[in-house]
């Protein structure tokens, strides 16, 4: 397995930036009567759950090929986003460009414990129309042994009238022996009703080979509060690998019928929990694609996620993360 295709949305990210330069500090002093809100400075970047996963996978395992499947516009933000994707060495063959739509946008606030609050503007996002761009001949790029990864957010973004076409795509990929990976990543506000989300998630679990749910997804959507309850729910599906995340405490693993629980050492210096799950997914999937055993893949992914949440933003600067990979992650050598 050398190719992974991640399906979903990349968005324009706006984040409050408290690091003002000296000239800005002088201006702030002059305008000290103004409120903090009126003088807030926002830093613009790009992020999204599946693209974050692809970036951390590619940075950790550069020999693998990660491809982004999405739609953007032809505006300046879209042009910059495409450059960002290419700079991270993510394949853009399936990044289609809409004539009329633009990327979605979100603003993020982080509290003193690293927890986040999001505000979204994605009604006119080109990614909502992604299925209108995918044709039968595009499937020729996928081969037996490839991996196709998507999330609950990916599903929610798709226009409801296009979801039947998406499930046809998934069935076609499975017929070509492409491994299907699903992370629920439930966001209630993105769904018309919980029932709509349940229907789509259950189709996703039915088609998945690997599932990467968190207990918190099931608390909100199904009222299931424990790892054991989530495991029992997933027993109705034919999953080859099931990794259940339960916050910083532990991970439950079920691979081909063999179950175990792995304790995780919590990170003390949490700065920003954005992309904790995304970085975990990227390193875990990359490790598994490299043939690394499940337990070691979990260890690598947990350490990577622990590092990422000690930094601001979804994407840690490349040179900082690369130093971590080389000096601290200790990847196995062939």
């Amino acid at each position: 397995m050398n190719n992974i295709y991640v399906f979903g949305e990349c968005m324009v990210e706006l984040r409050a930036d408290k690091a003002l330069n000296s000239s800005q500090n002088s201006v702030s002093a002059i305008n000290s009567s103004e409120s903090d809100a009126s003088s807030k400075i926002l830093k613009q970047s790009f992020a999204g759950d599946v693209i974050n996963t692809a970036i951390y996978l590619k940075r950790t395992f550069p020999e693998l090929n990660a491809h982004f499947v999405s739609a953007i516009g032809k505006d300046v933000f879209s042009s910059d986003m495409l450059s960002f994707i290419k700079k991270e060495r993510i394949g853009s063959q399936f990044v289609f460009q809409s004539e009329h739509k633009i990327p979605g946008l979100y603003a993020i606030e982080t509290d003193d414990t690293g927890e986040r609050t999001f505000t979204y503007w994605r009604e006119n996002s080109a990614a909502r129309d992604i299925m209108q761009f995918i044709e039968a001949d595009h499937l020729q790029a996928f081969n037996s042994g490839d991996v196709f990864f998507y999330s609950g957010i990916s599903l929610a973004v798709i226009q409801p009238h296009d979801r039947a076409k998406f499930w046809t795509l998934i069935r076609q990929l499975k017929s070509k022996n492409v491994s299907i990976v699903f992370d629920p990543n439930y966001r209630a506000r993105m769904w018309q009703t919980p029932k709509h989300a349940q229907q789509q998630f259950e189709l996703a679990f039915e088609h998945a080979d690997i599932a990467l749910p968190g207990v918190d997804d099931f608390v909100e959507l199904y009222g299931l509060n424990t790892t054991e309850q989530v495991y029992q729910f997933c027993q109705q599906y034919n999953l080859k690998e099931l990794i259940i995340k339960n916050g910083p405490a532990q991970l439950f693993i079920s691979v081909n019928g063999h179950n175990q629980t792995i304790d995780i050492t919590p990170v003390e210096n949490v700065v920003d929990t954005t992309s904790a799950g995304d970085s975990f997914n990227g390193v875990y999937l990359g490790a598994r694609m490299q043939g690394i055993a499940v337990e070691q893949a979990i260890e690598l992914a947990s350490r990577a996620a622990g590092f990422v949440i000690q930094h601001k933003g979804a994407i840690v600067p490349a040179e900082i993360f690369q130093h971590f990979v080389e000096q601290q992650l200790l990847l196995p050598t062939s």
Side-chain angles (χ1 to χ4, degrees):
M1 295 188 293
N2 293 317
N3 293 282
I4 181 169
Y5 296 82
V6 302
F7 175 97
E9 181 182 32
C10 184
M11 303 182 74
V12 179
E13 178 188 84
L14 298 179
R15 175 183 297 273
D17 187 359
K18 297 180 181 179
L20 308 181
N21 62 36
S22 57
S23 62
Q24 291 168 325
N25 282 332
S26 299
V27 172
S28 296
I30 294 172
N31 298 319
S32 58
S33 60
E34 297 181 8
S35 68
D36 290 342
S38 66
S39 60
K40 183 179 295 183
I41 291 177
L42 298 176
K43 180 179 179 180
Q44 185 258 304
S45 56
F46 301 106
D49 64 340
V50 300
I51 191 67
N52 300 344
T53 293
I55 288 170
Y56 285 115
L57 181 149
K58 182 64 177 180
R59 286 182 178 181
T60 309
F61 301 98
E63 60 274 27
L64 297 176
N65 301 311
H67 311 266
F68 187 38
V69 184
S70 189
I72 59 176
K74 293 188 174 180
D75 55 284
V76 173
F77 283 113
S78 292
S79 177
D80 289 346
M81 182 181 290
L82 190 57
S83 296
F84 162 76
I85 292 166
K86 291 179 178 179
K87 184 178 180 181
E88 292 288 348
R89 297 182 297 162
I90 305 299
S92 57
Q93 175 187 359
F94 290 97
V95 179
F96 303 97
Q97 292 189 269
S98 169
E99 294 288 344
H100 309 292
K101 299 293 183 72
I102 59 176
L105 178 148
Y106 72 95
I108 183 170
E109 297 281 351
T110 308
D111 65 20
D112 292 338
T113 67
E115 288 302 322
R116 308 142 298 160
T117 302
F118 298 92
T119 305
Y120 293 95
W121 297 266
R122 63 180 2 139
E123 293 79 6
N124 201 37
S125 171
R128 293 179 58 79
D129 294 332
I130 177 58
M131 294 310 303
Q132 297 177 23
F133 293 94
I134 297 178
E135 304 296 340
D137 58 348
H138 292 131
L139 290 172
Q140 299 306 313
F142 296 87
N143 297 296
S144 176
D146 285 347
V147 177
F148 186 89
F149 171 74
Y150 67 102
S151 71
I153 293 175
S154 307
L155 278 176
V157 167
I158 301 171
Q159 297 281 10
H161 58 263
D162 284 335
R163 289 186 185 135
K165 187 175 180 180
F166 173 78
W167 294 119
T168 297
L169 168 66
I170 292 297
R171 286 190 288 270
Q172 290 172 330
L173 293 177
K174 285 188 72 71
S175 72
K176 297 186 69 172
N177 294 316
V178 173
S179 182
I180 307 298
V181 184
F182 176 60
D183 178 356
N185 221 352
Y186 176 60
R187 299 291 184 268
R189 73 180 70 182
M190 297 183 68
W191 294 93
Q192 183 178 354
T193 66
K195 186 64 176 178
H196 283 91
Q198 289 173 359
Q199 291 170 343
Q200 294 298 303
F201 280 27
E202 286 157 22
L203 281 170
F205 280 112
E206 179 183 331
H207 290 92
D209 297 294
I210 301 172
L212 302 165
V215 172
D216 55 348
D217 297 319
F218 285 81
V219 170
E220 288 193 66
L221 192 55
Y222 290 99
L224 305 180
N225 301 296
T226 67
T227 298
E228 177 61 26
Q229 289 175 325
V230 175
Y231 170 69
Q232 291 302 326
F233 173 92
C234 292
Q235 281 292 90
Q236 63 190 298
Y237 304 107
N238 187 29
L239 298 167
K240 297 176 182 176
E241 292 186 24
L242 172 65
I243 310 298
I244 303 175
K245 294 165 279 188
N246 190 14
Q250 59 181 210
L251 290 161
F252 175 85
I253 306 167
S254 180
V255 179
N256 295 322
H258 299 286
N259 302 339
Q260 63 177 303
T261 299
I262 296 180
D263 292 327
I264 302 298
T265 303
V267 173
E268 294 182 1
N269 180 35
V270 177
V271 174
D272 185 346
T273 57
T274 304
S275 210
D278 305 334
S279 55
F280 177 95
N281 290 347
V283 176
Y284 177 78
L285 292 174
R288 294 296 287 145
M289 290 172 69
Q290 288 287 73
I292 296 173
V294 172
E295 294 82 357
Q296 190 169 11
I298 290 289
E299 173 66 20
L300 293 171
S302 299
R303 289 169 60 192
F307 178 79
V308 167
I309 64 176
Q310 296 179 68
H311 298 79
K312 289 184 178 180
I315 306 297
V316 176
E319 63 278 7
I320 295 175
F321 190 79
Q322 188 60 39
H323 184 268
F324 163 74
V325 171
E326 293 173 354
Q327 302 298 321
Q328 300 180 50
L329 196 55
L330 303 178
L331 296 172
T333 57
S334 57

